[in-house]
């Protein structure tokens, strides 16, 4: 690694597994002091132990973000303290994915998914972005999704929350960009950890038929995109959603 985030501090929500974990590990490997955050203490401790064993700096802050301003602000405060007084990079990654059909979605499920996927990052950003302005600037990276722009039969509720996050990315870039805070997003495609036998799960593979990649992506692919957006290499990038989806939303490959 080249130390692209040397001296930076970062909070990555939902980073005890999968994409969030990959982002936290990649940021730490590039020199950032990272706060790993999630609901499960044991998994968080394991991620932190792995980062430290590799020579990186990390701390765990437990958080079960439910959309309330109180819990979002508490995480912001605890992470700021753990990171020595400032957060340079915020990654809004935490989310939930119940996928009932529209007619089968209860009001409680609707409220829960929007609370975790939209309200929590909204109020976390509302707390952290102004602090970034005061400290001289920062970077915010949101997580969107390929199904916010390519309709699928199931997942209307989830995809609408990710569409909201991509819209907030542009709105926050306009609001905070002139004050020194860059805001962008990564839109993952079908992302699954590598299987133990080296093959992609059947459903994921089917969903990637007809794409240039032809197969599912790994959490590392998203982490590398987030790293670029967090680094000075992306200093001229504002309000952009970077598709890391194997071409799923933008390209159709016709087999001969």
């Amino acid at each position: 690694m080249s130390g692209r985030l040397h001296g930076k501090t970062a909070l990555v929500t939902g980073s005890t597994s999968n994409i969030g974990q990959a982002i936290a590990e990649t940021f730490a490997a590039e020199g950032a002091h990272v706060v790993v955050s999630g609901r499960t203490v044991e998994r968080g401790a394991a991620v932190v132990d792995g980062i430290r064993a590799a020579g990186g700096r990390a701390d765990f802050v437990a958080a079960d973000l439910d959309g309330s301003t109180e819990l979002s602000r508490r995480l912001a405060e605890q992470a700021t303290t753990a990171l020595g007084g400032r957060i340079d990079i915020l990654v809004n990654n935490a989310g939930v994915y119940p996928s009932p059909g529209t007619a089968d979605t209860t009001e409680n499920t609707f409220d829960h998914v929007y609370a975790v996927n939209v309200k929590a990052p909204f109020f976390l950003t509302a707390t952290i972005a102004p602090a970034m302005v005061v400290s001289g600037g920062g970077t915010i990276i949101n997580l969107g999704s390929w199904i916010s722009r390519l309709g699928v039969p199931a997942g209307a509720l989830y995809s609408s929350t990710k569409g909201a996050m991509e819209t907030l990315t542009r709105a926050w870039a306009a609001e905070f960009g002139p004050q020194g805070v860059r805001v962008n997003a990564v839109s993952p495609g079908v992302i699954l950890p590598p299987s133990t036998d080296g093959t992609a799960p059947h459903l994921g593979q089917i969903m990637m038929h007809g794409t240039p990649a032809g197969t599912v992506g790994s959490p590392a692919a998203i982490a590398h995109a987030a790293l670029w957006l967090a680094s000075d290499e992306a200093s001229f990038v504002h309000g952009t959603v970077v598709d890391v989806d194997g071409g799923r939303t933008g390209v159709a490959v016709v087999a001969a």
Side-chain angles (χ1 to χ4, degrees):
M1 295 292 184
S2 58
R4 282 183 281 176
L5 301 183
H6 178 72
K8 299 292 186 180
T9 61
L11 166 60
V12 184
T13 67
S15 49
T16 59
S17 65
N18 209 1
I19 290 173
Q21 178 179 350
I23 293 173
E25 291 172 343
T26 299
F27 282 14
E30 287 287 349
H33 181 184
V34 178
V35 159
V36 173
S37 181
R39 293 174 295 177
T40 307
V41 174
E42 293 78 12
R43 291 199 304 184
V47 175
V48 167
D49 287 346
I51 289 173
R52 290 177 178 175
R57 297 182 65 195
D59 293 283
F60 176 68
V61 175
D64 186 2
L65 298 174
D66 62 0
S68 67
T69 57
E70 178 186 357
L71 290 186
S72 290
R73 288 171 180 167
R74 183 186 303 169
L75 173 57
E77 291 169 0
Q78 292 177 336
T80 299
T81 298
L83 294 170
R86 77 178 198 280
I87 297 173
D88 297 316
I89 304 163
L90 167 63
V91 180
N92 285 312
N93 169 74
V96 292
Y97 183 70
S99 56
T102 299
D104 296 321
T105 299
T106 66
E107 184 175 3
N108 285 341
T109 297
F110 184 99
D111 290 343
H112 174 64
V113 175
Y114 262 84
V116 176
N117 291 8
V118 182
K119 281 186 68 179
F122 185 96
F123 287 112
L124 192 60
T125 299
T127 300
I128 292 175
M132 287 178 169
V133 172
V134 171
S135 65
T139 302
I140 297 172
I141 301 167
N142 298 318
L143 269 291
S145 174
W146 66 283
I147 64 170
S148 68
R149 274 167 289 129
L150 182 65
V152 296
L157 176 59
Y158 175 81
S159 65
S160 68
T161 67
K162 289 304 181 178
M165 288 309 298
E166 293 189 7
T167 297
L168 284 171
T169 295
R170 293 181 284 271
W172 285 337
E175 182 175 0
F176 298 115
Q179 301 176 77
V181 178
R182 290 192 301 109
V183 186
N184 292 288
V186 179
S187 177
V190 183
I191 303 294
L192 295 168
S195 59
T196 55
D197 61 2
T199 60
H202 180 63
L203 179 59
Q205 193 72 284
I206 289 175
M207 294 172 77
M208 290 303 291
H209 283 174
T211 67
T215 189
V216 299
S218 70
I222 309 306
H224 292 310
L227 171 62
W228 174 67
L229 287 174
S231 73
D232 290 340
E233 296 167 7
S235 61
F236 200 52
V237 182
H238 292 261
T240 293
V241 179
V242 178
D243 292 321
V244 187
D245 61 4
R248 175 70 283 171
T249 57
V251 183
V253 176
V254 179

